[in-house]
Amino acid sequence: MTEATTQAAERIAELRNQLDAHNYRYYVLDEPSVPDAEYDRLFNELKALEGQYPQLITPDSPTQRVGGTALSAFGSVRHEVPMLSLGNAFEDADLREFDRRVSEGLDLPVNDLFGAGAAVEYSCEPKLDGLAVSLLYESGVLVRGATRGDGSTGEDISANVRTVRNIPLKLQGTGWPAVLEVRGEVFMSKAGFEALNVRQAESGGKTFANPRNAAAGSLRQLDPKITASRPLEFCCYGVGCVQGELPDSQVGMLQALKGWGVPISRELKLARGVEECLAYYRDIGERRSTLAYEIDGVVFKVNSLASQRELGFRAREPRWAIAHKFPASEELTELLDVEFQVGRTGAVTPVARLKPVKVAGVTVSNATLHNMDEVARLGLMIGDTVIIRRAGDVIPQVMQVVTERRPADARPVLIPEQCPVCGSQVERTQLVKRSKGKETLSEGAVYRCVGRLACGAQLKQAIIHFVSRRAMDIEGLGEKSVEQLVDEGLVGSPADLYTLQFEQIVGLEGFAELSSNNLLAAIADSKRPSLARFVYALGIPDVGEETAKTLARSLGSLARIQRALPEVLTWLPDIGAEVAYEIHNFFDDDHNRTVIALLLERGVEPQEEGELHAEFAASVTLAALLAKLDIAFIAATGAKNLAEKAGSLDAVIALSQDWLELSVMKGLNEKAKQSLREFFANPQNTERARAMEAQLAEFGMHWASEKKVVEGLPLAGQTWVLTGALEIMSRDVAKEKLEGLGAKVAGSVSVKTTCVVAGPGAGSKLAKASELGVRVLDEVEFVSMLAGHGIQ
Ligand code: IVH
């Protein structure tokens, strides 16, 4: 190792330790020790260093939670120690009976009604409503994650569990068993679930009926990146296979695990005797709705592990543990009507109006129906008797229709043709898919009012969003104030905030002289937002903070963002065809354009970054443009060959129509040639390609300027060699990514080679690399290096 590398390794170790320690305090102890910004700073420093020294990346680094490559199927995992289920108690009497059996089984005097006899110690925890997983740690490092499956065989979900933020990738401290299988529940908090459903509904994705389904659906994804984007959490409640020493009680063992960084329940308690268990059950029952996650009961386990062993199992259930369930929180009621609410982006959402009914102690008269697909899935009609479920303080759900009780005059639920708030047309969203040069539209789950800011409901929500903390950050404008401003006709668009006068607001409810002045000052102070904040504040459907940042960072100016063609937008990281269309449509809309023009006119000055991002500019090659056109049978390699041969888009078009030249061209097969010819014979396609090229040129990017841009790139001046079989990505893709980072990719290893990426079966090139002392990465390390540069 060179001195620089040694220094980097030391700093990397230090950063990882600090980040692990912060994570531990945050997730396990629930005592955050640093502000988010400080955490982000350490994290970014680590990511940058690992990008520079990819050979120092290890799978347990906190940066490695992004989710790797998608699988085509899960492997299976045999549970050496079976994953069992629990017997249930519903009544207090069932629990007393359980306690009696435990005492008997342990040859203790049975605890009678007079309190005589032994009080067995039990560990008490909530019964989380998620799904059971097993996490295997070898020498303190997480090596495998598995689902419960049928109890004996589960699925290998290692890549997915690594993305769950509070699952330690390596254990803290010392003294853990060499082999330790941690078991527990992966679940979604109520808040995480709600937020996920909002996101899903807005993007036309699948919404989930409850946090449990959402957790299960998120964990069992073949693409771990999807899992990584879901708010999953883990809570440990036991162990499976163990080689090494652990404390000899349930509570002691869980506390030891907690010390090693494994999250356990904050509600873990030790109870002496069954009465204390019942008190625990009642206490948790009373606090159930205030817990951050859903539970369906509590679990009692005999605390002594020796006693657990003595009691053993009956069929698939331990004799030493039981789940004491809460009464079902489901009730029957009648669906009186379905009303439609309009959200910020115009999404028209059905809401069930119910005949009021008490569910688990709370009167329920409304329930969300998410979207019309959900209404169809339930087969819901107005007048139906429905099963309502309320779990904790999650919004009540309609679980099921009792079709046998459907009255003769039941009416179908119809989406209104006009917006209930403003009377504009309501349209079904379209999902755009583009493949093989063709665009296909399919129907989305969401309906939208087209009224935009002319719709009172959308206007209010749009302004609430516009002024919110992470957008323009205008303090002093709560929901109530926004409603007043809109209802009084003082504000018809976000731009009108900037013409508000003192006299107009001072009389409004909640606005005295001081607060009116403060509000006006806050509005004036908001005039110089970053470009990213400004774009986010506009409330473009599907454009959250991250996408807004990408737009601002990559395109650098509002003018470019406004004019960008959808195809050009899909060039940016993480922007797919649908989001690209949303962005384009938003800026194409006259009303939106007017509002933006007014905002600028009234002194709002987004702080532009000016320059096009070098990485983005460098990714713009003729080959990439050809690949983006999605011409059938022309993928990355074909596009590359074509680009090299022709050199310009015009030449590609000419070549495609020149039968003789095309037929002798090498590097494209017959099918590809045929498809190329047909593609450019269609003037629409030619125009689309030219428009893309023209816009890229206008944005300052030229194929010819590729080399210049390379200089500023992270791997500029480096020469890489790819050898052996690559499994995660094809060689062409790997090459393209390296070139995108500024590296040259060569065919043979020499003293000039910076690094060799060697897959299985690598032979002479690998040998040569070790002979010359050239750095060698395997594919996983290579992918991590790319990730370090923000490339997936
Ligand atoms: S103990 C042998 N503790 O409930 C003991 N399970 O019905 C096995 N669960 O599959 C489990 N919270 O997914 C235990 N605190 C808790 C639990 C819990 C939720 C789930 C678990 C298990 C199912 C058993």
Side-chain angles (χ1 to χ4, degrees), residues 351-365:
V351 180
R353 301 285 176 231
L354 305 161
K355 191 167 159 196
V357 62
K358 264 206 162 176
V359 192
V362 172
T363 305
V364 170
S365 45

Side-chain angles (χ1 to χ4, degrees), residues 96-106 311 314 322:
R96 293 207 169 91
E97 173 57 23
F98 164 77
D99 178 55
R100 199 190 54 77
R101 284 197 308 268
V102 167
S103 301
E104 250 176 27
L106 294 175
L311 286 161
R314 193 196 60 196
I322 194 159

Side-chain angles (χ1 to χ4, degrees), residues 718-724 731 735 744-757 763-770 772 774-775:
Q718 302 192 359
T719 305
W720 287 57
V721 173
L722 303 167
T723 181
R731 233 210 254 153
K735 184 164 179 226
K744 264 209 310 226
V745 179
S748 59
V749 178
S750 73
V751 281
K752 294 217 184 93
T753 310
T754 319
C755 190
V756 172
V757 180
S764 61
K765 288 181 199 169
L766 179 57
K768 183 88 185 267
S770 27
L772 296 174
V774 172
R775 197 168 99 204

